[in-house]
Amino acid sequence: MRDKRRLSLLALVFVLGIAFGVPAALGQSAWEQQQSLDSKIRGLQSEIANAKHKEGVLTTQISSASTEISSLQGGIETLTAKVAALEGKLAAHRARLAELQSKYRQQTEDYNRLRSDHQIALDRLEARLIQLYETSGTDELDVLLQSSSLSDLIEQLDYFHTIGDADKHLADRLALLTDKMHAARLETAATKRDVTEATAVLAKETEQQRAARDALVVRQNALAAARAGQQSMLASVRQQRHSEEEDLTKMQAASAAIAAQIRAHESSSGGSGSTGGGTSSSGFIWPVNGPITSGFGWRWGRMHEGIDIGVPCGTPIHAAASGTVIYSGWADGYGNYTVIDHGNGLATAYGHQSAIYVSGGSVSQGQTIGAVGSTGHSTGCHLHFEVRVNGNPVDPLGYL
């Protein structure tokens, strides 16, 4: 794009060299060239203004993104520290829970073994008591008859009682141990349940904090990616603006050269192109009678160098003052276009005509020079009317 613009500019400079080298072409070619250049200059100025606006927007967005990224970084660091602390507590709770689970399993095994041993002792004691009850008379008589002495008899009877007492003592001790183990097992189960609940709550909180941190990281990465894209776009816009500013400088120089060419042409014609002896700025008349639909000045990001007067197509256009027609024909953007030199550096221009009635020479004030139309860059029937001083556009309302 930049290379094409430079080639166009070089071609334009070449055309200007031809124009300056051929004095006979000063009238129409100079105005055509200046109109074309001014149109390009306005376009470039609009593009540069838009680029500067875009740069400002991008700079603001980049600054905002950087601020938010820094803010998110602080939040991420806070949540990361919190997650680390929670993960440490969670690991401790899980280790404690594993301990309690192991202890509960061991206690359960010990409890079941004691219950089994206690049942065996009870069964043995019960069997022995039944046996003693069922055979107590016979056994004692047999012991008495078989005893060789009184001391032997006493020893035999004590033996039976000692066995019974030992069995009962064992059964009682096993019952006590079983009860204690059962109580310890219940206590461990309750502790394990409490630790399990606390671990679940802690795990949920840890997961929530981790999810919050991860969401911030995702947001930060997205912002960083968007900021990188904006920074790349900003660099591209700045590079394009610099290129456009270089071209604008060259075009403005070329436009100034054409304006000087027009002034030189006016000077060579004796300083007056008017057939009526010249008119003052306040002596201009309205070229058509109608409302102003668009005034002089900036609109839609570019300069509107005249006023638009809304009237139907075909309405006769009158010369605002006496003068010499220095251009009549087609001009980019303006469509059918007529320029009248009134002398003293003043000129008027009439654009978007449906028909042109003059091709050159002198015209008088109020003379019909064309008809209103909608040619060129136009959205409807109207007359585009310009006043130029030394080739430069000014507000026509100051002369009507």
Side-chain angles (χ1 to χ4, degrees), residues 259-325:
Q261 188 181 9
I262 293 172
R263 288 192 293 272
H265 171 259
E266 292 175 346
S267 297
S268 67
S269 63
S272 174
S274 171
T275 59
T279 58
S280 66
S281 60
S282 62
F284 279 35
I285 64 171
W286 284 76
V288 292
N289 291 321
I292 296 176
T293 57
S294 183
F296 177 87
W298 287 94
R299 68 173 185 178
W300 307 324
R302 60 187 302 173
M303 185 66 177
H304 187 230
E305 297 182 335
I307 59 173
D308 291 343
I309 306 172
V311 290
C313 282
T315 301
I317 302 171
H318 305 285
S322 300
T324 302
V325 176

Side-chain angles (χ1 to χ4, degrees), residues 51-68:
K52 287 181 178 179
H53 174 71
K54 195 170 185 179
E55 286 176 31
V57 171
L58 287 171
T59 301
T60 300
Q61 290 175 343
I62 290 169
S63 176
S64 177
S66 297
T67 300
E68 190 171 352

Side-chain angles (χ1 to χ4, degrees), residues 26-245:
L26 287 177
Q28 293 183 2
S29 64
W31 271 98
E32 261 188 307
Q33 291 159 17
Q34 188 177 24
Q35 292 302 317
S36 177
L37 266 179
D38 287 348
S39 177
K40 291 181 180 180
I41 286 172
R42 289 193 296 270
L44 274 176
Q45 287 172 333
S46 177
E47 289 178 12
I48 291 169
N50 288 336
K52 287 181 178 179
H53 174 71
K54 195 170 185 179
E55 286 176 31
V57 171
L58 287 171
T59 301
T60 300
Q61 290 175 343
I62 290 169
S63 176
S64 177
S66 297
T67 300
E68 190 171 352
I69 287 171
S70 297
S71 176
L72 287 173
Q73 184 60 37
I76 289 170
E77 290 173 357
T78 299
L79 286 174
T80 298
K82 193 170 184 179
V83 168
L86 287 170
E87 286 177 341
K89 290 174 66 176
L90 183 60
H93 272 66
R94 285 174 174 164
R96 172 66 175 151
L97 184 60
E99 235 177 68
L100 289 169
Q101 288 172 334
S102 176
K103 183 177 181 181
Y104 181 77
R105 284 195 298 270
Q106 185 62 48
Q107 286 176 334
T108 299
E109 291 174 3
D110 293 343
Y111 171 71
N112 291 334
R113 186 179 66 254
L114 285 172
R115 283 186 62 189
S116 177
D117 292 345
H118 178 238
Q119 189 60 45
I120 291 171
L122 287 176
D123 292 344
R124 187 173 65 181
L125 178 60
E126 182 181 1
R128 194 180 302 281
L129 291 174
I130 291 172
Q131 183 181 13
L132 287 174
Y133 174 77
E134 290 177 346
T135 60
S136 61
T138 304
D139 290 342
E140 289 180 2
L141 180 60
D142 289 342
V143 170
L144 179 62
L145 293 175
Q146 292 176 7
S147 298
S148 57
S149 63
L150 180 60
S151 60
D152 184 30
L153 175 61
I154 293 171
E155 286 177 1
Q156 292 292 333
L157 292 175
D158 287 342
Y159 173 74
F160 281 110
H161 289 297
T162 299
I163 291 175
D165 290 341
D167 286 344
K168 185 176 184 304
H169 178 71
L170 177 60
D172 291 343
R173 179 171 177 76
L174 285 173
L176 179 62
L177 289 175
T178 301
D179 290 341
K180 287 183 177 180
M181 182 55 66
H182 179 63
R185 182 169 165 271
L186 290 177
E187 182 180 357
T188 300
T191 303
K192 186 182 74 169
R193 185 169 55 253
D194 292 342
V195 173
T196 299
E197 292 175 356
T199 302
V201 171
L202 191 59
K204 185 176 181 180
E205 184 182 357
T206 303
E207 185 58 32
Q208 288 174 341
Q209 296 298 324
R210 187 183 293 115
R213 180 198 60 188
D214 293 345
L216 289 183
V217 170
V218 169
R219 172 65 178 160
Q220 186 186 49
N221 290 339
L223 279 172
R227 182 180 63 178
Q230 290 166 340
Q231 288 170 333
S232 175
M233 188 183 299
L234 177 61
S236 176
V237 169
R238 280 177 174 165
Q239 182 178 2
Q240 181 181 353
R241 176 173 62 83
H242 291 155
S243 174
E244 289 169 346
E245 286 173 340

